Amino acid sequence: IDVAPFDNSAMDGYAVRAGDLAGASELTPVRLRVVEHVAAGAFPTVAVGPGEATRIMTGAPVPEGADAVVMVERTAEEDGGAIAVIMATVAVGENIRRKAEDVRSGEVVLSAGEVVSAAATGLMAAVGCATPLVYRRPRVAIVATGDELVAIDEYPGPGKIRNSNSYSL
């Protein structure tokens, strides 16, 4: 599957039309009418038009019409949340994770022979691989044998040597 499966917000904040925020700053904020609140796990039902914004949580789908997200730290609210006071500009695409940005459907995500790390485990979960075909790294032991060998903390007597091969191997 595509990861992310849809364009979604990388921040809590407001989904906006970047062009509406030209010149926005703390001294000259832009006020936008809030048309909807979209929590993570919900889906937007209202498009963002000129002069409008949608309150959005991290991971929530970006509504139609919005092309950027302003992080909540650069905003304030008026009229009980009906008005978003935006105190910064944003570029088109800012704070949006695009559909298939990490993985495109059909793409190979892990190849045979790769070590399964914590990151690989998360990637497998993201693409729905619940039962990967893996094998455990082999455990190897070296057993040095021979009547001539003594332990490294022993003094080698006549005809004896310390067991150094098992350590170097």
Side-chain angles (χ1 to χ4, degrees):
I1 65 167
D2 290 332
V3 178
F6 46 82
D7 290 354
N8 68 86
S9 179
M11 304 278 170
D12 287 352
Y14 289 91
V16 299
R17 299 162 64 103
D20 286 347
L21 303 182
S25 71
E26 288 186 31
L27 297 175
T28 57
V30 171
R31 287 170 173 76
L32 303 174
R33 186 172 69 87
V34 177
V35 294
E36 187 174 27
H37 293 249
V38 181
F43 203 82
T45 60
V46 179
V48 173
E52 296 177 337
T54 292
R55 179 79 166 99
I56 193 166
M57 300 300 132
T58 303
V62 175
E64 284 188 46
D67 59 13
V69 174
V70 179
M71 65 175 70
V72 71
E73 293 85 353
R74 295 184 174 157
T75 69
E77 292 181 352
E78 290 179 350
D79 295 335
I83 302 294
V85 181
I86 312 295
M87 297 176 277
T89 60
V90 288
V92 170
E94 192 168 333
N95 299 318
I96 294 177
R97 292 184 292 233
R98 295 292 180 194
K99 177 180 180 173
E101 184 175 299
D102 295 330
V103 176
R104 186 164 304 285
S105 179
E107 192 173 51
V108 173
V109 294
L110 295 171
S111 297
E114 287 189 52
V115 174
V116 178
S117 63
T121 301
L123 182 57
M124 288 187 291
V127 298
C129 181
T131 311
L133 299 174
V134 297
Y135 61 90
R136 182 174 283 197
R137 182 180 301 200
R139 295 180 74 181
V140 177
I142 297 172
V143 180
T145 61
D147 291 339
E148 76 281 12
L149 300 178
V150 297
I152 62 171
D153 58 351
E154 288 183 41
Y155 183 81
K160 304 290 183 179
I161 61 172
R162 285 193 175 104
N163 173 16
S164 61
N165 284 345
S166 63
Y167 293 94
S168 60
L169 291 174

